[in-house]
Amino acid sequence: MVIADCDNHRIVQWKMGDKNGQIVAGGNGRGNRLKQLNCPIDVLVDKETNSLIICDLWNQRVVLWSRRSGTTQGESLINNLSCYGLAIDDQRYLYISDYKKHEVRRYQIGHENGTIVAGDNGIDNGLNQLNSPTYIFVDQQQTVYVSDSSNNRVMKWNKGAKEGIVVAGGQGKGKALTQLSNPSGVFVDTSGTIYVADSGNARVMRWLKGAKQGAVIVGENDRKEGTNQFNHLGGLSFDRHGNLYVVDTWNNRVQRFSIE
């Protein structure tokens, strides 16, 4: 498991059962040198190059960092963007959400100029607009799912579409099963079921394909430190055994759940 440790300005790898993690990028204090990070907020593994791709939030850049032994610094891939979420598709196109420009772009790795795939029509709640997009997910058809945080919804943008489709939330900010509150991490399985970290409601929800409301699968038990409780959710993911991992940001931990 590879974790973006924002406040410690590093990427940490934890192997199952270990008591301590291993720093695999950054860890040299906060800064903008190539050996440093400044609040990394998302990270993914590029298996083809055996590298990490890191959203280096406050340095406004995306960094490539080799996982090979002896690597002491990264390489700046894309600069001058307010990156938040990352995804990579089967053709190795890189997708990045920009929470200040309210858009998602697709990039060829090694190129600085990307193509708009969601948003870029100003800040509002129209179907062709986003408002502070955070985490993203891309499926095998290059469909982009966006946690449209300040619009309290998850949007689905088909490849080449000029506007998106609301697939979760979008009924105002609230805690009803039809609503979300500042969603963050998002994951979509092969059947089209959406899992979303509903940060403002301290819960993770599951929305079946085409459903008008979701179901709470974990959380919604106040903002505390107990099991099945959260305090400000970040990203989420699944392993190959179907276990759910949730970043519980302000409790400084990652929780694992077995989901039926």
Side-chain angles (χ1 to χ4, degrees):
M1 179 167 49
V2 181
I3 303 167
D5 188 3
C6 174
D7 286 348
N8 286 319
H9 315 293
R10 64 190 184 186
I11 306 297
V12 181
Q13 178 174 296
W14 287 72
K15 294 182 179 179
M16 198 61 63
D18 283 358
K19 298 294 184 182
N20 296 291
Q22 175 188 0
I23 298 172
V24 291
N28 296 300
R30 178 173 60 186
N32 60 8
R33 289 181 290 174
L34 289 177
K35 70 175 185 178
Q36 295 176 303
L37 300 170
N38 190 349
C39 189
I41 197 71
D42 200 7
V43 59
L44 56 81
V45 177
D46 180 11
K47 294 180 180 178
E48 185 165 316
T49 62
N50 192 27
S51 299
L52 302 173
I53 299 176
I54 304 164
C55 175
D56 190 9
L57 180 64
W58 299 129
N59 281 328
Q60 297 189 311
R61 66 187 181 188
V62 174
V63 176
L64 181 73
W65 199 295
S66 174
R67 302 178 79 188
R68 294 182 179 88
S69 178
T71 301
T72 59
Q73 66 179 38
E75 169 192 349
S76 184
L77 279 182
I78 304 166
N79 294 286
N80 302 315
L81 78 170
S82 299
C83 63
Y84 203 104
L86 300 170
I88 194 167
D89 68 19
D90 292 342
Q91 299 179 39
R92 292 190 71 246
Y93 283 103
L94 178 65
Y95 298 74
I96 305 172
S97 65
D98 188 315
Y99 71 94
K100 286 188 177 179
K101 290 184 178 178
H102 314 289
E103 66 185 27
V104 179
R105 287 181 181 258
R106 181 179 66 228
Y107 295 82
Q108 281 187 287
I109 294 177
H111 293 74
E112 285 250 2
N113 296 318
T115 302
I116 297 288
V117 294
D120 189 42
N121 290 293
I123 176 174
D124 209 337
N125 63 359
L127 292 179
N128 66 344
Q129 296 173 306
L130 298 170
N131 188 347
S132 303
T134 56
Y135 293 95
I136 56 179
F137 182 90
V138 178
D139 68 14
Q140 292 181 334
Q141 288 72 46
Q142 296 182 323
T143 303
V144 181
Y145 294 82
V146 186
S147 269
D148 189 11
S149 180
S150 293
N151 280 328
N152 306 296
R153 64 189 184 183
V154 175
M155 298 286 288
K156 173 184 176 181
W157 291 67
N158 292 312
K159 184 178 180 180
K162 298 300 182 184
E163 63 180 34
I165 303 164
V166 179
V167 290
Q171 301 297 318
K173 186 174 186 175
K175 62 188 302 182
L177 294 179
T178 57
Q179 296 177 304
L180 297 170
S181 177
N182 300 118
S184 52
V186 61
F187 180 92
V188 184
D189 69 17
T190 54
S191 69
T193 298
I194 299 163
Y195 297 83
V196 56
D198 186 12
S199 185
N201 288 318
R203 65 190 184 184
V204 177
M205 298 191 73
R206 175 167 53 202
W207 293 66
L208 299 178
K209 186 176 182 178
K212 299 300 182 183
Q213 68 178 37
V216 178
I217 56 172
V218 289
E220 202 175 45
N221 294 303
D222 297 326
R223 293 173 176 268
K224 295 182 180 179
E225 299 178 357
T227 303
N228 201 25
Q229 292 180 311
F230 302 113
N231 193 352
H232 191 78
L233 293 172
L236 58 77
S237 62
F238 283 86
D239 66 18
R240 59 190 176 90
H241 303 294
N243 295 306
L244 171 66
Y245 296 80
V246 184
V247 176
D248 188 9
T249 307
W250 290 349
N251 282 328
N252 302 299
R253 65 187 182 184
V254 176
Q255 293 204 64
R256 182 181 68 182
F257 300 91
S258 178
I259 303 299
E260 297 181 358

